[in-house]
């Protein structure tokens, strides 16, 4: 995929596969593929990533009238893996070969393991596509590779019919994966990925399945919607509806925002609130994407650290951050009090060598260089990042007229809440009732998450662990700062993707 920046995309929690059961609901014109759940026996945490290509993220709704689920809508039920990941079934070829896939709005390709995958252990634990058994198979052969945080899948393009519910998409390009290195795909209970993003980020420029659904007239309305069931005791994991919405799965009306950049389903987001208080960082706006392929909520380290501090999450102590506050905290406060432009403070002190217009992107570039085998030049280092975060935190407290001692103590405490290298943070399950809500401003409306909604509980009784639903991800301008609103958010808010109007809509899930 060419040169790319690498950063943490998400913590994927991959659990035991649920047994599928197929059934139809009569008289509503919809085909439903039901899936039942088994109890959780184990959990694997696998770190993903965001890839950048040519400066773009490449990773790896408004409905007219009262549109409901029409006769041409298709509903695919989803499995809920402990509120961590959602999967459904599709068919490939004629007769149809069944695969379990992640329906992922954060990527655009369809791939499944190939029968020609001989040297990757992961392929032996998943269903494999056999082109020789399909009468509608057409050879392509173009090589393809998709990079993820824990490795890459590679293979070649083929063409065949794809079955989604009762819809059959003809002549669809997809990737037969012949290599699946890394523990992620070995441990995963899904066979492949079904991308629902835009063609702009499709590897090889392949036309996404969703595009062909629309172009082949298989859906009456170019929209699809997600309902993710966060009740882990419930039988249903959720539903994705192609061509409409199921009004039983949301309350009130959707709040619709325009897609600002095609590739991901990206839109503009406003302030992030902890309780009723602003975090300050996104008060002038941030970008966000609705991503069904991400388990948690990923956002700028500056805000995630504030949130994890407020909810008592424990991460890794950043010595750079604490050292910077100890030596330069008072100087930063004095510069803020004298109305020095906040974005220029760290460069004037000497931590950053640019004029403050590049934000914390410098450190992200350094991380990317290191991960690609390049050494940092010593300019783009952690002290620059720590300084810039401290400026945001201190400025936010100055607005509240707090004392110097209170502000420095607060920032020092935040330093201790910086997330661990893989981004995960844990909380005490016994303190859920005392944690504040966390809210996101979208389209002028505040979307609130309660502690029970942004904390994932793993296990039961005395061995239960609670994981913060917030993980750090720093995306540089001009694409960032960026929030990835994953399943933690989409589980609370029914999400509607409108391909015709180029909007994303959110409504309270029912």
């Amino acid at each position: 995929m060419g040169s790319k920046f690498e950063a943490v995309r998400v913590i994927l929690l991959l659990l035991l596969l649920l047994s599928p059961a197929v059934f139809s609901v009569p008289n509503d014109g919809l085909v439903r593929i039901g899936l039942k759940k088994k109890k959780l026996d184990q959990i694997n945490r696998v770190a993903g990533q965001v890839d950048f290509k040519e400066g773009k993220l490449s990773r790896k709704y408004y409905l007219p009238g009262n549109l409901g689920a029409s006769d041409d809508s298709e509903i695919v039920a989803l499995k809920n893996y402990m509120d961590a990941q959602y999967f459904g079934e599709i068919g490939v070829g004629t007769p149809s070969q069944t695969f379990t896939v992640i329906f992922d709005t954060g990527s655009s390709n369809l791939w499944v393991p190939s029968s020609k995958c001989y040297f990757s252990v992961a392929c032996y634990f998943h269903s494999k596509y056999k082109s020789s058994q399909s009468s509608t198979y057409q050879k392509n052969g173009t090589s393809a590779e998709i990079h993820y945080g824990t490795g890459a899948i590679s293979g070649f393009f083929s063409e065949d019919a794809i079955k989604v519910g009762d819809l059959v998409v003809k002549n669809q390009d997809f990737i037969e994966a012949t290599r699946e290195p890394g523990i992620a795909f070995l441990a995963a209970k899904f066979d492949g990925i079904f991308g629902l993003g835009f063609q702009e980020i499709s590897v090889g420029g392949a036309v996404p399945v969703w595009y062909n659904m629309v172009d082949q007239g298989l859906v009456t309305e170019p929209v699809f919607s997600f309902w993710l069931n966060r009740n882990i005791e419930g039988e249903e994991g959720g539903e994705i509806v192609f061509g409409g919405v199921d009004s039983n799965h949301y309350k009130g009306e959707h709040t619709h925002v325009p897609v600002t950049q095609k590739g991901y389903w990206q839109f503009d987001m406003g302030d992030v609130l902890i309780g009723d208080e602003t975090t300050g960082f996104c008060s002038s706006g941030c970008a966000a994407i609705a991503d069904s392929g991400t388990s948690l909520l990923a956002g700028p380290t500056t805000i995630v650290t504030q949130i994890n501090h407020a909810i008592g999450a424990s991460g890794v102590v950043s010595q750079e951050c604490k050292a910077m506050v100890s030596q330069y905290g008072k100087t930063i406060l004095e510069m803020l009090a004298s109305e020095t432009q906040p974005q220029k403070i760290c460069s004037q002190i000497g931590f950053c060598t640019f004029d403050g217009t590049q934000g914390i992107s410098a450190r992200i570039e350094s991380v990317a260089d290191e991960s690609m085998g390049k050494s940092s030049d010593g300019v783009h280092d952690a002290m620059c990042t720590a300084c810039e975060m401290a400026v945001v935190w201190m400025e936010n407290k100055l607005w509240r007229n707090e004392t110097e001692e209170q502000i420095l103590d607060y920032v020092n405490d935040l330093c201790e809440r910086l997330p661990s290298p893989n981004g995960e943070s844990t909380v005490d399950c016994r303190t859920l009732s005392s944690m504040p809500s966390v809210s996101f401003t979208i389209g002028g409306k505040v979307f609130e998450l309660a502690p029970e909604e942004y904390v994932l509980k793993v296990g039961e009784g005395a061995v239960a662990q609670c994981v913060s639903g917030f993980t750090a991800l720093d995306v540089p301008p001009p694409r960032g700062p960026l929030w990835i609103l994953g399943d933690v958010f989409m589980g609370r808010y029914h999400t509607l993707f409108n391909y015709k109007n180029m909007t994303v809509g959110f409504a309270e899930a029912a």
Side-chain angles (χ1 to χ4, degrees):
M1 295 174 64
S3 60
K4 54 190 174 290
F5 290 97
E6 296 181 2
V8 175
R9 182 188 181 215
V10 70
I11 306 292
L12 292 182
L13 308 180
L14 305 175
L15 311 177
L16 287 181
L17 182 61
L18 308 179
S19 297
V22 179
F23 62 93
S24 296
V25 178
N27 302 324
D28 65 357
L30 302 176
V31 177
R32 302 169 190 267
I33 304 172
L35 298 162
K36 294 184 178 182
K37 298 194 290 286
K38 287 181 180 178
K39 270 201 167 187
L40 168 67
D41 291 324
Q42 67 179 40
I43 180 171
N44 295 294
R45 297 195 181 108
V46 182
Q49 75 178 12
V50 172
D51 292 337
F52 287 81
K53 182 179 181 181
E54 297 176 356
K56 298 179 180 179
L57 279 163
S58 62
R59 187 182 141 192
K60 42 167 177 203
Y61 290 76
Y62 183 80
L63 291 177
N66 294 315
L67 177 67
S70 70
D71 290 345
D72 293 317
S73 300
E74 286 299 322
I75 294 179
V76 177
L78 304 174
K79 299 171 188 168
N80 177 357
Y81 287 90
M82 205 65 174
D83 291 349
Q85 202 56 260
Y86 295 80
F87 304 86
E89 288 186 351
I90 63 167
V92 181
T94 308
S96 184
Q97 301 172 38
T98 302
F99 295 90
T100 301
V101 295
I102 298 175
F103 288 94
D104 180 21
T105 57
S107 66
S108 299
N109 291 88
L110 169 63
W111 67 264
V112 295
S114 172
S115 61
K116 297 178 177 63
C117 180
Y118 304 120
F119 303 109
S120 293
V121 176
C123 289
Y124 291 93
F125 292 89
H126 296 94
S127 299
K128 293 179 286 294
Y129 169 74
K130 301 176 179 64
S131 60
S132 61
Q133 297 182 6
S134 174
S135 62
T136 48
Y137 162 76
Q138 294 292 325
K139 183 178 180 179
N140 181 312
T142 304
S143 61
E145 185 173 296
I146 301 178
H147 288 264
Y148 297 94
T150 50
I153 67 99
S154 60
F156 57 89
F157 279 102
S158 290
E159 182 184 297
D160 211 332
I162 306 299
K163 186 176 182 182
V164 184
D166 277 351
L167 301 180
V168 178
V169 181
K170 299 178 181 178
N171 308 119
Q172 176 63 49
D173 287 328
F174 67 99
I175 298 172
E176 289 192 50
T178 57
R179 288 186 63 83
E180 298 182 20
I183 187 65
F185 300 115
L186 178 63
K189 300 304 179 181
F190 60 86
D191 298 316
I193 306 269
F194 186 113
L196 287 166
F198 292 93
Q199 190 174 3
E200 279 78 357
I201 60 170
S202 176
V203 171
V207 177
V209 181
W210 167 245
Y211 281 45
N212 282 328
M213 277 190 194
V214 175
D215 293 343
Q216 295 176 21
L218 301 178
V219 291
T220 55
E221 293 292 339
V223 300
F224 60 91
S225 53
F226 274 85
W227 169 64
L228 304 181
N229 185 7
R230 303 299 277 183
N231 179 9
I232 61 176
E233 300 299 329
E235 290 294 318
E236 295 178 281
E239 287 180 347
I240 176 174
V241 180
F242 292 101
V245 296
D246 186 340
S247 59
N248 293 319
H249 291 318
Y250 66 92
K251 304 174 185 177
E253 301 293 329
H254 287 82
T255 296
H256 310 280
V257 288
V259 172
T260 55
Q261 186 165 346
K262 290 170 67 177
Y264 300 99
W265 290 86
Q266 181 173 324
F267 53 91
D268 288 334
M269 189 186 80
D271 203 4
V272 179
L273 308 174
I274 303 175
D276 296 325
E277 295 186 356
T278 177
T279 53
F281 192 80
C282 287
S283 56
S284 58
C286 281
I289 64 174
D291 186 359
S292 60
T294 290
S295 304
L296 307 182
L297 280 159
T301 302
T302 304
I303 301 183
V304 169
T305 302
Q306 291 183 65
I307 292 172
N308 282 336
H309 170 262
I311 68 177
S314 300
V316 172
V317 176
S318 170
Q319 295 301 325
E320 293 91 346
C321 183
K322 294 176 71 68
M324 186 279 305
V325 173
S326 174
Q327 296 179 43
Y328 296 95
K330 292 184 178 181
T331 301
I332 294 173
L333 277 175
E334 291 171 358
M335 295 176 75
L336 284 170
S338 64
E339 300 185 354
T340 302
Q341 293 184 41
Q343 67 270 25
K344 294 183 178 293
I345 288 177
C346 294
S347 60
Q348 290 182 16
I349 292 177
F351 286 128
C352 308
T353 60
F354 42 85
D355 63 3
T357 61
Q358 295 180 6
I360 58 176
S361 60
R363 177 54 185 160
I364 304 307
E365 181 179 340
S366 177
V367 171
D369 289 344
E370 291 167 8
S371 65
M372 295 171 65
K374 301 177 183 179
S375 61
S376 172
D377 60 7
V379 174
H380 299 161
D381 58 17
M383 294 298 280
C384 176
T385 301
C387 178
E388 289 187 321
M389 288 191 295
V391 168
V392 174
W393 297 333
M394 291 181 186
E395 185 181 25
N396 198 34
K397 286 296 182 180
L398 278 175
W399 290 342
R400 297 182 175 85
N401 295 318
E402 295 190 10
T403 66
E404 177 183 291
E405 183 179 1
Q406 289 174 321
I407 294 173
L408 293 178
D409 286 345
Y410 171 74
V411 174
N412 233 338
D413 203 2
L414 286 183
C415 286
E416 295 185 358
R417 300 296 180 178
L418 287 171
S420 62
N422 286 333
E424 73 275 5
S425 298
T426 60
V427 297
D428 187 341
C429 296
R430 297 169 297 181
T431 63
L432 283 177
S433 60
S434 62
M435 293 181 190
S437 62
V438 177
S439 305
F440 299 83
T441 307
I442 301 171
K445 182 177 179 180
V446 175
F447 291 82
E448 182 178 276
L449 295 175
E452 295 78 10
E453 294 163 343
Y454 63 69
V455 170
L456 280 73
K457 191 172 184 180
V458 180
E460 299 177 359
V463 297
Q465 289 185 318
C466 286
V467 179
S468 169
F470 298 94
T471 185
L473 171 67
D474 292 301
V475 178
R479 195 66 186 258
L482 179 71
W483 278 89
I484 298 179
L485 305 184
D487 298 338
V488 168
F489 187 86
M490 291 176 63
R492 177 68 175 85
Y493 295 101
H494 182 272
T495 309
L496 182 59
F497 300 84
N498 191 316
Y499 181 65
K500 178 181 179 180
N501 294 343
M502 287 293 129
T503 58
V504 184
F506 302 99
E508 184 179 355

